[in-house]
Amino acid sequence: MARTEAIVLGAGIVGVSVALHLVKRGLAVALIDRGEPGHGTSYGNAGIIEANTLFPAAFPASMKSLIRIALKRAPEANYHASFLGRVMPWLLAFRHNSVPERLIATMRAMRPLFARALAEHETLAAEARAGSYLRHTGWLKLYRSDRGFAATAQERTFAAEFGLPVRTMDVDAALALEPALAPVFRHAVFWEDAASVTNPLALTCAYAARFVMLGGVTVMGDARSLHRVGTRWRVESTQGPIDAEAAVVTLGPWAPDLLDPLGINLPLVVKRGYHRHFATGGNASLARPVLDADNGYCLAPMEQGIRITTGAEFAARDAAPTPVQLNRVLAVARDLFPLGAAVEDNPWIGARPCFADSRPVIGRAPGQPGLWLAYGHGHSGLTLGPATGRLIAEMMTGATPFCDPAPYGAERFASHRRR
Ligand SMILES: Cc1cc2nc3c(=O)[nH]c(=O)nc-3n(C[C@H](O)[C@H](O)[C@H](O)COP(=O)(O)OP(=O)(O)OC[C@H]3O[C@@H](n4cnc5c(N)ncnc54)[C@H](O)[C@@H]3O)c2cc1C
């Protein structure tokens, strides 16, 4: 293989976007995955490019919600009891980061990335001739309770500060947008600037094809074989060893498999999530993703059918699937929208890679010259993949980064590194 300048490890939406941004800047890049691009977590998300995101998902504020989750009655969260001990330090850190002033600080730290997210997708999609997968029809959030709607007030105030168009709607106005919905909700909030994707896998594959067209190389290999040879990094692949002066870890939920043995021990937890596609009853259709906020699931119209996606499940990444949340929400989802038969026999499962401060890690790997990190995008990896690709490519090539990368540095977890 010709001389490689950068190895990108993991071909999800983040890795493909990083590889594409590097190759666009003239680097010789090898993109390594153990399978085909886009088949990890990036395969099964709700397809929402949530550039409007302000507050991240937060630890439940009310005792009532916590008790419902503890009793496994909440649709928005589930857990494996055997996993609670392992995840407890992370949950405590997550709760610590969920007080109002820290949520506001996170919002301000993440805003530059989110603000760039849609424009980066639009550019990459246009260049990859994949614009037809992008839908500019916004995101509709429904609230069945007055309380759920009232809780959005502060976010809507910040939306005005950041110039994000958002419209509150009564039931009739929401039904004018989405006539197939049943009026089982009381309020709606329409985030007009959000975009969505009709097939997340196809979008990632189109970006990967563009990467190859620009001279990048995709190779199968096991990222865990990465090791140092002199001042370079080497990975074993089906085409033999590949080495380069720089390597970027974009393994999403699998990043610790490679990083822990290298002594980079960052506190990543996965929030597992499920999806399943359903046919639509009669001529019913949706023009945009719809969130049933009080029930914690999303209805996302995809090429394969209506994709129902679930909230968070705290369990070991590789434990057997337990899609109880899908079963919990199916009846309420059928009240809201005429779902037909399930398309697949079994639900899909994925694992959102999450840090407790709801920020990804983007930047240099501590103590490992030439190694870079871009993972931990949690609930927003589809949204942030291309903006992340631009940021890290700018950092790696010595260009001026489009935003200050300091909030995303691995150094914020210094106390967790092995000495
Ligand atoms: C149910 C659900 C709904 C979601 N909805 C949204 C949404 O609407 N909008 C949004 O922005 N985000 C959403 N997300 C989050 C988003 O999907 C993730 O943040 C994103 O896909 C993470 O991308 P990634 O590239 O970091 O990881 P991945 O897509 O998981 O990519 C990692 C890659 O690494 C490869 N790999 C792993 N181990 C090895 C190894 N040893 N050797 C070689 N390769 C390896 C895998 O094969 C994989 O291709 C959702 C997530 C879920 C689960």
Side-chain angles (χ1 to χ4, degrees), residues 191-277:
W191 294 89
E192 295 174 57
D193 264 10
S196 57
V197 172
T198 54
N199 186 334
L201 172 64
L203 187 77
T204 306
C205 290
Y207 292 175
R210 175 74 182 155
F211 163 74
V212 172
M213 194 181 291
L214 293 177
V217 181
T218 53
V219 189
M220 286 204 188
D222 188 340
R224 292 170 300 180
S225 66
L226 188 79
H227 59 284
R228 216 176 242 301
V229 177
T231 59
R232 296 170 71 79
W233 289 98
R234 174 170 294 174
V235 67
E236 307 300 332
S237 80
T238 52
Q239 297 184 21
I242 301 173
D243 52 72
E245 43 275 35
V248 192
V249 179
T250 53
L251 291 165
W254 292 277
D257 295 0
L258 165 61
L259 295 175
D260 285 357
L262 292 175
I264 301 167
N265 208 230
L266 307 183
L268 189 83
V269 151
V270 298
K271 291 187 195 171
R272 306 199 315 173
Y274 299 84
H275 87 218
R276 197 165 185 191
H277 296 106

Side-chain angles (χ1 to χ4, degrees), residues 133-155:
Y133 295 117
L134 295 188
R135 202 171 25 200
H136 291 87
T137 49
W139 184 15
L140 189 62
K141 299 189 182 183
L142 307 178
Y143 298 86
R144 297 187 188 223
S145 67
D146 294 339
R147 204 172 137 170
F149 172 67
T152 67
Q154 195 187 25
E155 192 168 40

Side-chain angles (χ1 to χ4, degrees), residues 9-16 32-50 139 221-225 250-255 257 271-275 298 309-311 348-353 374-384:
L9 299 153
I13 186 64
V14 176
V16 168
I32 312 289
D33 202 288
R34 60 186 173 192
E36 298 294 331
H39 282 78
T41 324
S42 302
Y43 174 82
N45 52 58
I48 308 165
I49 301 178
E50 320 162 12
W139 184 15
D222 188 340
R224 292 170 300 180
S225 66
T250 53
L251 291 165
W254 292 277
D257 295 0
K271 291 187 195 171
R272 306 199 315 173
Y274 299 84
H275 87 218
C298 204
T309 59
T310 64
W348 171 88
I349 179 170
R352 304 172 181 93
Y375 75 104
H377 291 74
H379 293 251
S380 310
L382 171 70
T383 304
L384 296 176

